[in-house]
Amino acid sequence: MIKVGIVEDSVSTREGLEAILSLAPEYRCVCTCASAEEALRELPAHQPDIVLMDINLPGMSGVKCVTSLKKLLPEVRVIMITVYRNPDQVFGALRAGACGYLLKRSSPEEVLNAIREAQEGGAPMTGEIARQVIAYFQSQSGFEDEVEKLTAREREVLEYLAKGYSNKEIAARLSVSVPAIRWHLTHIYQKLHVQSRTQAVSKFRPQS
């Protein structure tokens, strides 16, 4: 028996998911919640194996709820169910600890299969979402190639730039002239295929 919790503020969607779970005897809905706050209060007592989580909840978001819920129930597997197809939403949820991501228009069969897959340790996603994941990593791979073209000094300049330092402050920290920093920035823009410091920073992720 797979115990499932539902966190969804829409009554119709919540009831629809409950109805889907009732279609197969090996699935049992143990708890339904209309908000993240309610989920954090109620779900731990029911110990669900899988939680179906809406991302756009009133109050605390579904993404933040996943982070908090994983602290209370480390073994729980969370599948996001939402109308959103934004890659930022997808990766925000996955980074928070979700194991899968389905669109709300998924068929009952897709929902049940996703729960089973998650229970078995998989990462269920609709084909559309999976294609976004692939596209994201492909784009990241291309960007890593661009970053590899930067010299060690150019990386230093870009790291300070990403931290909000001005050209003058960067020059002081690196013990070089301000014109030298401008020269480095020109080459950084060329290698990253951007037009400004804002675009460069938006593409760059400083190494921790």
Side-chain angles (χ1 to χ4, degrees), residues 33-203:
C33 303
S35 70
E37 292 79 4
E38 182 183 359
L40 295 176
R41 290 194 307 268
E42 302 296 332
L43 287 177
H46 296 276
Q47 296 289 305
D49 302 304
I50 307 294
V51 170
L52 304 179
M53 176 83 67
D54 183 20
I55 202 168
N56 190 28
L57 295 167
M60 181 188 293
S61 72
V63 173
K64 290 184 178 179
C65 184
V66 173
T67 301
S68 298
L69 185 62
K70 293 288 286 185
K71 294 177 181 177
L72 298 172
L73 297 170
E75 301 302 318
V76 73
R77 307 278 290 172
V78 182
I79 302 172
M80 308 306 291
I81 297 187
T82 178
V83 296
Y84 290 100
R85 289 174 290 178
N86 187 320
D88 291 338
Q89 296 281 7
V90 174
F91 290 99
L94 296 178
R95 282 193 299 267
C99 73
Y101 204 102
L102 293 172
L103 298 178
K104 286 188 176 180
R105 65 169 182 264
S106 298
S107 68
E109 182 180 9
E110 287 174 329
V111 173
L112 294 176
N113 287 342
I115 293 171
R116 173 63 65 184
E117 184 178 348
Q119 177 71 357
E120 294 174 350
M125 295 184 192
T126 61
E128 187 172 356
I129 295 299
R131 285 191 293 274
Q132 288 186 346
V133 171
I134 293 170
Y136 173 83
F137 281 111
Q138 288 175 337
S139 67
Q140 288 298 100
S141 176
F143 176 65
E144 288 300 322
D145 291 341
E146 293 176 347
V147 172
E148 287 299 320
K149 296 177 183 178
L150 300 179
T151 65
R153 177 48 59 91
E154 288 168 350
R155 285 171 178 260
E156 284 184 296
V157 171
L158 191 50
E159 286 179 0
Y160 281 122
L161 198 69
K163 293 175 182 177
Y165 290 92
S166 66
N167 288 359
K168 183 177 180 180
E169 292 171 328
I170 297 173
R173 287 181 173 272
L174 298 181
S175 300
V176 298
S177 66
V178 172
I181 297 301
R182 294 196 191 103
W183 184 82
H184 285 308
L185 288 176
T186 297
H187 286 274
I188 289 170
Y189 295 168
Q190 290 174 346
K191 292 177 180 180
L192 297 185
H193 304 290
V194 298
Q195 303 295 323
S196 69
R197 60 195 293 139
T198 300
Q199 291 176 348
V201 169
S202 70
K203 293 186 69 174

